[in-house]
Amino acid sequence: MTKRVAILISGGGSNMVALGRSMTGDHPARPVLVLSNDPQAGGLAKAADMGIPVQAIDHKPFGKDRAAFEAALHDALLAAQPDIICLAGFMRILGADFITSWDGRILNIHPSLLPKYRGLHTHARALEAGDTHHGCTVHQVTAALDDGPVLGQARMAVLPGDTPATLAQRLLALEHALYPAVLRRFAAGDLRPVMLDG
């Protein structure tokens, strides 16, 4: 049975585009919704152009009431009935109650080789630490930030003269390869990690 995938974004949605384009042919999943917390997110138009239903739930009117925002998000997702939720540059931290409601069905991509550098500014932190390699991780989402079982990692060498911006730019191509590969395997019920070298 084909799995239904909802993709959550906050910005331009480049990983969303990579995921959406991958779900064709004999792929075991299809995109059913792209949802953003920002009505102006550039990825919404890209998703619509790809024929994927889109929806925006602006987090701003909810103020500090994260539970109310997450309830609205939850209702929108229930209407779309996804089997899998992919966080693709979704810049809101989700609460434990929301995550528990979709336990085992939420994937996220993070720009570091977890467990290194949870949170923000991962490229700068890798450079400051003098790391020889950097990369990205796709993992199942749990209530702990950037934690949960690792489903895939892509590694690349840190080059002399690299800056956070050059690392981020080179890493994006690996993200666009890794996330679709992990989703395909996950949608088929295979939890073996995907490992890529760039």
Side-chain angles (χ1 to χ4, degrees):
M1 192 181 82
T2 303
K3 295 288 171 57
R4 299 168 62 85
V5 177
I7 306 171
L8 273 55
I9 65 169
S10 292
S14 70
N15 269 304
M16 175 276 296
V17 170
L19 290 169
R21 286 181 178 158
S22 74
M23 286 184 268
T24 59
D26 65 353
H27 195 290
R30 290 293 183 270
V32 295
L33 178 66
V34 169
L35 182 57
S36 180
N37 63 298
D38 181 357
Q40 305 303 315
L44 291 172
K46 294 174 189 171
D49 287 345
M50 295 168 71
I52 306 170
V54 299
Q55 188 173 351
I57 299 174
D58 190 348
H59 67 274
K60 294 189 189 78
F62 294 94
K64 296 194 185 308
D65 192 349
R66 190 168 77 180
F69 168 70
E70 291 181 359
L73 206 63
H74 181 70
D75 289 344
L77 288 166
L78 282 179
Q81 297 183 300
D83 301 295
I84 301 166
I85 298 169
C86 291
L87 306 182
F90 187 67
M91 303 306 290
R92 309 299 296 172
I93 293 174
L94 295 167
D97 288 347
F98 180 92
I99 290 166
T100 300
S101 298
W102 300 94
D103 187 42
R105 290 185 277 172
I106 309 176
L107 307 184
N108 182 50
I109 188 160
H110 182 73
S112 80
L113 294 170
L114 291 174
K116 282 187 171 183
Y117 315 128
R118 294 183 173 96
L120 300 174
H121 312 300
T122 59
H123 312 306
R125 289 157 70 192
L127 289 171
E128 286 162 11
D131 290 355
T132 58
H133 285 82
H134 187 45
C136 55
T137 303
V138 177
H139 63 97
Q140 283 185 269
V141 173
T142 62
L145 181 67
D146 298 326
D147 203 359
V150 169
L151 297 174
Q153 288 190 322
R155 289 165 47 91
M156 67 181 192
V158 176
L159 303 178
D162 259 332
T163 66
T166 61
L167 278 182
Q169 185 176 19
R170 287 213 320 282
L171 189 57
L172 208 52
L174 284 179
E175 291 181 23
H176 295 169
L178 179 67
Y179 211 168
V182 170
L183 175 62
R184 185 183 190 107
R185 191 172 278 190
F186 185 77
D190 185 346
L191 300 183
R192 290 175 302 154
V194 176
M195 307 307 273
L196 302 178
D197 279 305

